Amino acid sequence: MKDLLFKKVSLREKEYTSRFFDVLCREGKIFSVQEHNPALKAPEACTIEGNGRLLTSAFYNTHSHSAMTLFRGLGEDLPLDKWLYQYILPAEKHLNAHAVYVAATVAIAEMLRAGICSFSDMYFYMPEIARAVRESGIKANLSRSVATRDALDSQIDEAISFCREYHDTCNGRIRTDIAIHAEYSTSDAVVKRLTDAAAELGVGIQLHLSETEAEHEACLARRGITPSAYFERLGAFRVPVTAAHGVYLTEDDRAILCAHGATVSHNPTSNLKLGSGVMPLLKTMQSGVRVALGSDGAASNNRLDILREMQTAMLLHKGLSGTPELLTSADMWPLATENGALAQGRGNAGKICSGYCADLVLWDLYPSFVSFDSTLMYTATADQVFMTVVDGQILYENGTFRTIDTEQLFFEFEKICEDFSSRRFRKEQP
């Protein structure tokens, strides 16, 4: 692995007070961060002339269904239940391994283009998504989605076998989790079996939690407790949990999540688009719960862009609270970086600091005289990502992907899309 030397870059971290820096990456880690020295040379390194561009940590997407790039635009302008049962589930019955591999690779290209170095995924045909991750060089926490009330369902065996085979492979780029789809799509026996497996395998759990009011209230009516309390009762929080959405968490729910060190993946765009509501971000953060950011699938967002999620969350919660000073750009940045890395069990990541993973984004972005924080939060777009580096490897640079043949990829993707567009999907009943 060749060293990388970023020369004369700007950094957003508050502790760095000089104007320009040189950042050396070695063996996939940040080796040194020092004030810019024009005389500094690293003959064995690939030198990137920053010319004052901004260098930041890359982003972590803590909730996605990557292969749903295939269903982008399907079932628009509907609430979650109709979108899911009338369009998505019928379409997913026609998926095959090749379609998932291609669609996931399309998602990975989109995420690398947007400065995302790692994503948490819950879907089917997981070995094919693992293949896309392995070939592309991105990182991922992968989980085979389990939605069944039958504790002997083959989905469970697939999920456990996948974890055993793929966990901590590709030099740690691929980690695995157990996926419990949601409280409403499972049973006590299934949750117990899956949580026991996660504890035995030493992996975390990904799940959907209190995404809609109907889901939350139905659980209360059915079980007499909230989804959070239900999962706690069955022992799910014995292992690290990343709970997507959390729109209707109660104060007691937040106390449960905080006590067990769980992470809530805030997906503001998807929740808004499906009319599901707004997760109370300020209350959740103030209760001590770790919060990270997620895109959800491309069929309900429709972009895989964590910068946009951060900007949306920032503006949304300022407006809802009526108190703009309560949530600053410095408060939001860890949600997209450090907190996401922690949710994925990836230590020493999410900051530009010696010894941390060299997961970096070089922006074609120059600051105002005020600060990079405000420029990133209120002005920047993913189109201004110039370079994405994962574990010290340049995977995307100025419109070019180093590990993905996008011409062949989109040729294959177009054929799959044409096949799906010719089908008529039978509507499911919830």
Side-chain angles (χ1 to χ4, degrees):
M1 180 183 297
K2 196 169 186 179
D3 293 354
L4 288 182
L5 175 61
F6 290 89
K7 292 279 290 182
K8 197 180 179 181
V9 292
S10 298
L11 304 176
R12 65 162 296 280
E13 276 78 357
K14 292 186 295 185
E15 58 264 35
Y16 298 129
T17 55
S18 296
R19 183 167 176 80
F20 299 123
F21 291 83
D22 299 329
V23 178
L24 179 63
C25 305
R26 179 168 293 165
E27 296 181 352
K29 305 288 186 183
I30 297 170
F31 183 76
S32 65
V33 181
Q34 55 187 307
E35 292 187 16
H36 173 55
N37 177 3
L40 176 64
K41 304 292 183 184
E44 301 302 317
C46 173
T47 300
I48 296 101
E49 297 293 342
N51 298 316
R53 286 190 180 99
L54 176 65
L55 185 72
T56 71
S57 302
F59 299 134
Y60 289 77
N61 182 354
T62 56
H63 183 60
S64 67
H65 312 287
S66 58
M68 291 182 79
T69 52
L70 181 58
F71 304 136
R72 196 183 329 239
L74 180 65
E76 298 284 38
D77 305 317
L78 293 172
L80 177 65
D81 56 346
K82 291 182 179 179
W83 169 84
L84 181 63
Y85 288 104
Q86 295 182 10
Y87 290 92
I88 299 303
L89 293 180
E92 286 179 337
K93 289 186 175 181
H94 297 274
L95 284 170
N96 56 52
H98 179 64
V100 168
Y101 165 72
V102 172
T105 306
V106 168
I108 289 168
E110 183 174 344
M111 286 190 275
L112 288 173
R113 177 68 183 82
I116 295 168
C117 66
S118 188
F119 65 103
S120 297
D121 210 49
M122 179 195 293
Y123 214 59
F124 330 112
Y125 295 102
M126 264 300 146
E128 295 303 312
I129 299 179
R131 175 187 165 202
V133 171
R134 182 181 68 249
E135 292 173 352
S136 67
I138 201 169
K139 301 179 183 181
N141 279 45
L142 303 178
S143 60
R144 199 279 187 213
S145 183
V146 175
T148 179
R149 294 180 177 84
D150 179 3
L152 300 179
D153 196 299
S154 61
Q155 294 180 48
I156 301 173
D157 294 327
E158 287 180 24
I160 294 171
S161 296
F162 176 76
C163 285
R164 287 198 174 116
E165 182 175 353
Y166 285 89
H167 186 61
D168 207 24
T169 57
C170 290
N171 295 318
R173 286 194 295 109
I174 294 179
R175 296 177 59 83
T176 63
D177 295 315
I178 289 291
I180 304 172
H181 178 263
E183 173 274 330
Y184 60 84
S185 56
T186 189
S187 67
D188 292 14
V190 170
V191 173
K192 288 177 180 177
R193 187 176 172 200
L194 289 171
T195 56
D196 286 346
E200 177 190 343
L201 293 165
V203 301
I205 287 174
Q206 297 182 37
L207 51 82
H208 296 94
L209 186 70
S210 294
E211 182 175 0
T212 67
E213 185 174 21
E215 167 201 339
H216 188 85
E217 293 300 320
C219 181
L220 280 169
R222 181 167 51 247
R223 306 185 190 277
I225 54 176
T226 66
S228 296
Y230 170 72
F231 285 121
E232 183 188 41
R233 187 181 71 186
L234 296 180
F237 294 109
R238 286 181 291 159
V239 302
V241 170
T242 298
H245 305 297
V247 176
Y248 291 92
L249 297 175
T250 66
E251 186 175 344
D252 288 342
D253 292 339
R254 290 190 285 271
I256 290 171
L257 296 171
C258 180
H260 294 285
T263 299
V264 172
S265 178
H266 184 26
N267 293 221
T269 302
S270 176
N271 294 149
L272 288 169
K273 184 169 181 284
L274 292 171
S276 300
V278 179
M279 191 269 276
L281 178 61
L282 285 166
K283 286 183 179 179
T284 305
M285 293 171 66
Q286 289 166 354
S287 68
V289 177
R290 181 191 300 130
V291 180
L293 294 172
S295 64
D296 212 343
S300 65
N301 186 305
N302 293 18
R303 285 158 48 184
L304 307 177
D305 182 349
I306 292 300
L307 176 64
R308 186 176 77 149
E309 297 306 312
M310 184 164 51
Q311 292 168 332
T312 299
M314 183 86 164
L315 296 173
L316 176 64
H317 295 288
K318 283 178 179 289
L320 287 174
S321 68
T323 314
E325 59 267 56
L326 280 182
L327 198 60
T328 68
S329 54
D331 296 325
M332 290 300 301
W333 185 258
L335 276 63
T337 54
E338 296 169 74
N339 289 7
L342 289 170
Q344 293 185 349
R346 300 180 186 276
N348 294 334
K351 290 179 67 175
I352 296 182
C353 182
S354 295
Y356 275 54
C357 293
D359 300 331
L360 304 166
V361 176
L362 186 64
W363 299 83
D364 198 3
L365 174 71
Y366 296 89
S368 68
F369 72 92
V370 181
S371 74
F372 273 117
D373 269 348
S374 63
T375 304
L376 271 171
M377 199 61 62
Y378 298 114
T379 307
T381 68
D383 291 338
Q384 291 170 292
V385 170
F386 181 81
M387 179 182 290
T388 303
V389 175
V390 179
D391 279 345
Q393 298 292 307
I394 300 171
L395 301 185
Y396 170 82
E397 181 180 7
N398 197 24
T400 300
F401 295 89
R402 299 283 185 94
T403 56
I404 299 173
D405 181 347
T406 51
E407 184 176 354
Q408 179 63 29
L409 173 66
F410 285 107
F411 174 75
E412 291 292 328
F413 191 57
E414 183 177 0
K415 289 197 298 183
I416 294 167
C417 288
E418 287 176 356
D419 176 58
F420 268 77
S421 67
S422 67
R423 299 175 185 270
R424 295 293 180 266
F425 304 122
R426 180 177 62 84
K427 294 184 178 181
E428 294 277 323
Q429 294 300 317

